Amino acid sequence: MLKIGAVLYGSGYVLLAFLEGDFVERLGWLSSTQLADAVSIGQFTPGPVFTTATFVGYLVAGVPGAVLATVAIFLPSFLLVGLLTRITDRIRSRAWSSALLDGVNAAALALMAGVALQLGRISLVDPLTWALTAGTLLALWRTKLNSAWLIAAGAAVGLVSVIATRLV
């Protein structure tokens, strides 16, 4: 998590690509489904998406793992902000470094798009999940409904679906 926190740039969604590479593919400590659950927990809880790291740490090593993962993922950013705050204006004012930062921003957006596609591939597994996604996108586009209500509605539909499946 310390390594990921030191090199992660952009949205917390970019975190998924790093976690997948290390924890799912290289180390085999998590399944893709567990990682998708961790991202969902990070989305559902208040605060930064980096709280996904806390959940991953918990899955891997319980409470001590959660604490260690949380500290490790946030520590580099706190250190870098403290060091770079004084020189940010000078970096942005130079043409070459400004272009570099613009390129990094574009790369982060592309990585977020890739992560969105990956989450869709993992999460959209049946007609119900596709219908929930379509309905949610339509509601987001057509209404000013708070997204917390959409999350609650999705959870309720999922719960009813599980209960109905078990009763059959």
Side-chain angles (χ1 to χ4, degrees), residues 19-153:
L19 291 174
E20 173 107 41
D22 279 344
F23 289 90
V24 176
E25 294 170 7
R26 189 171 62 83
L27 299 170
W29 290 352
L30 297 174
S31 68
S32 292
T33 303
Q34 287 174 312
L35 184 57
D37 290 344
V39 171
S40 297
I41 293 293
Q43 289 295 301
F44 188 69
T45 57
V49 179
F50 277 13
T51 54
T52 298
T54 304
F55 187 72
V56 168
Y58 181 79
L59 287 176
V60 171
V63 173
V67 171
L68 185 61
T70 303
V71 170
I73 197 91
F74 283 104
L75 184 63
S77 62
F78 285 117
L79 294 176
L80 286 172
V81 166
L83 294 172
L84 295 177
T85 299
R86 295 193 176 121
I87 62 169
T88 303
D89 291 335
R90 280 187 280 173
I91 292 171
R92 196 39 116 160
S93 68
R94 296 209 165 64
W96 71 270
S97 56
S98 181
L100 174 76
L101 291 174
D102 290 344
V104 169
N105 283 333
L109 287 172
L111 192 52
M112 284 183 253
V115 166
L117 291 172
Q118 185 177 356
L119 282 173
R121 193 179 68 243
I122 293 169
S123 303
L124 301 173
V125 295
D126 58 21
L128 177 63
T129 56
W130 279 98
L132 280 172
T133 300
T136 301
L137 288 173
L138 184 64
L140 283 170
W141 182 43
R142 292 290 198 175
T143 70
K144 294 183 188 271
L145 194 61
N146 187 312
S147 58
W149 290 109
L150 298 172
I151 292 169

